[in-house]
Amino acid sequence: MPLYDCMLLLKPHVKKEALMDLVTKVGKHVYRKNGVLTELKSFGHVQLGYGIKKLDGKYYQGQLMQMTMMTPPSFNNELHYLNKEDRLLRWLLVKHRDVDFGFDFLGGGDAKNELSEYRSSMYESEEEEEDDDDDDDYNVDESEKKSV
């Protein structure tokens, strides 16, 4: 099952109980489709870049929620009941693409060795630079060093 992010932008005056009621409604819908809700984030009140016009006025701020879930691909077509939800300003469903992280991104098992080689060569070059005498940069004579 693919991973999805469902972003919910709610009206700023919506109470926490009503917000959690909406999240529970979506979560139960995910569970009925044999999906799993993996993460739930609240970004709190956010300022909007432009006003969103609704029947009860124009809104310049809202409450932003992110729900990360694993559901079947047909789940997207079943979220249209959110359009009729009066507590919501906007909602968006985004599918995560196949993204490699960590050593898989670098190319498999040899990537770990490549990183350690890079790290050792990085430290070797620093040691060589430390041995360099900085006096050459300032054209200081040996006689001036002794007198100081």
Side-chain angles (χ1 to χ4, degrees):
M1 281 190 276
L3 195 63
Y4 291 96
D5 275 334
C6 183
M7 303 297 291
L8 303 171
L9 182 63
L10 292 100
K11 293 179 180 177
H13 63 272
V14 172
K15 303 270 189 257
K16 271 201 180 212
E17 294 81 22
L19 186 142
M20 292 313 295
D21 178 47
L22 181 64
V23 169
T24 303
K25 189 176 179 181
V26 175
K28 285 180 181 178
H29 192 123
V30 169
Y31 183 71
R32 270 185 269 135
K33 296 296 175 185
N34 296 327
V36 177
L37 189 63
T38 59
E39 189 175 6
L40 184 63
K41 287 183 191 176
S42 174
F43 295 98
H45 287 272
V46 293
Q47 286 294 119
L48 305 178
Y50 57 90
I52 297 178
K53 196 177 204 182
K54 290 293 181 180
L55 293 175
D56 56 345
K58 201 169 193 178
Y59 294 92
Y60 291 94
Q61 49 182 288
Q63 297 180 54
L64 188 61
M65 296 280 304
Q66 176 183 353
M67 299 174 68
T68 305
M69 59 190 92
M70 292 180 78
T71 59
S74 63
F75 184 72
N76 184 21
N77 300 333
E78 300 167 10
L79 277 180
H80 291 289
Y81 65 89
L82 291 175
N83 290 336
K84 295 180 179 78
E85 189 63 50
D86 62 339
R87 297 173 280 193
L88 276 177
L89 294 174
R90 296 277 191 270
W91 66 274
L92 175 70
L93 189 69
V94 180
K95 182 179 179 182
H96 285 239
R97 299 291 176 202
D98 295 330
V99 179
D100 293 329
F101 295 102
F103 293 124
D104 297 333
F105 175 72
L106 294 173
D110 294 337
K112 197 171 195 175
N113 295 333
E114 289 176 19
L115 281 178
S116 63
E117 288 173 13
Y118 175 72
R119 185 181 313 141
S120 64
S121 67
M122 183 174 68
Y123 291 131
E124 288 171 6
S125 66
E126 285 180 8
E127 290 171 4
E128 291 172 4
E129 289 175 9
E130 288 176 10
D131 294 340
D132 189 23
D133 193 12
D134 290 339
D135 292 339
D136 296 336
D137 295 340
Y138 299 108
N139 297 327
V140 177
D141 292 333
E142 292 294 322
S143 61
E144 290 178 18
K145 274 196 220 178
K146 291 178 185 173
S147 64
V148 174

